[in-house]
Amino acid sequence: MNRLAFVLGSRGLKNTVARTLQVVRRFGIGPERMERRLMRYVDIVAAYNARPSLPITASVLDRNPQVAQRLVDHGAELCVHGLFHNDLSKLPDEEQRDQIAKAVEIFSRHGIAFRGFRSPYLRHNSAT
């Protein structure tokens, strides 16, 4: 499935551009700003003798496996959050299974243990 066509079809061009700009402003272009924020969050939670569960898409993990490993080493547990951050409930059953299987494979290939699954947007259907 063409990812760009899926995103544009589900969100529209105007919403896609607006969301892209919002994400860049909030998280930055590279992983550095988000990594600093997540590490700070892990430290805050650790002060209360707890560990955060952080959902991460496999495509992000695949681009930044060193960041994911540092988070795990620092005490976070990671959850599979899909292959991409797309609404799985809008995908056919077979495509959902394929994307989740590929996500699990990416976690495994990088040696990153995961603890569960959180569907993007918290949306699902009977196939999810």
Side-chain angles (χ1 to χ4, degrees):
M1 168 176 277
N2 181 312
R3 172 111 173 99
L4 181 59
F6 178 83
V7 169
L8 289 174
S10 65
R11 295 184 192 153
L13 179 60
K14 182 180 175 184
N15 288 336
T16 299
V17 170
R19 179 65 178 148
T20 299
L21 291 173
Q22 182 184 43
V23 167
V24 168
R25 280 192 303 269
R26 183 178 296 160
F27 303 115
I29 300 267
E32 298 80 15
R33 182 188 301 172
M34 193 65 194
E35 181 180 5
R36 281 192 312 272
R37 290 177 175 183
L38 288 171
M39 292 299 242
R40 177 72 180 125
Y41 179 68
V42 173
D43 289 340
I44 290 168
V45 172
Y48 295 94
N49 296 316
R51 293 174 34 156
S53 286
L54 305 173
I56 181 172
T57 60
S59 60
V60 169
L61 184 145
D62 203 27
R63 288 191 309 270
N64 303 285
Q66 69 288 354
V67 174
Q69 187 60 59
R70 282 193 292 271
L71 287 166
V72 170
D73 292 346
H74 207 67
E77 61 181 28
L78 302 182
C79 305
V80 174
H81 195 44
L83 181 58
F84 306 107
H85 199 270
N86 58 349
D87 185 351
L88 294 176
S89 71
K90 299 204 182 292
L91 296 176
D93 298 3
E94 187 174 313
E95 181 69 20
Q96 285 189 54
R97 283 189 295 273
D98 185 51
Q99 284 197 17
I100 293 170
K102 285 178 180 174
V104 168
E105 187 278 322
I106 289 169
F107 272 74
S108 297
R109 180 165 27 98
H110 289 292
I112 304 292
F114 61 90
R115 303 279 185 246
F117 173 81
R118 181 193 183 272
S119 186
Y121 307 106
L122 294 174
R123 295 189 189 134
H124 64 281
N125 59 29
S126 61
T128 313

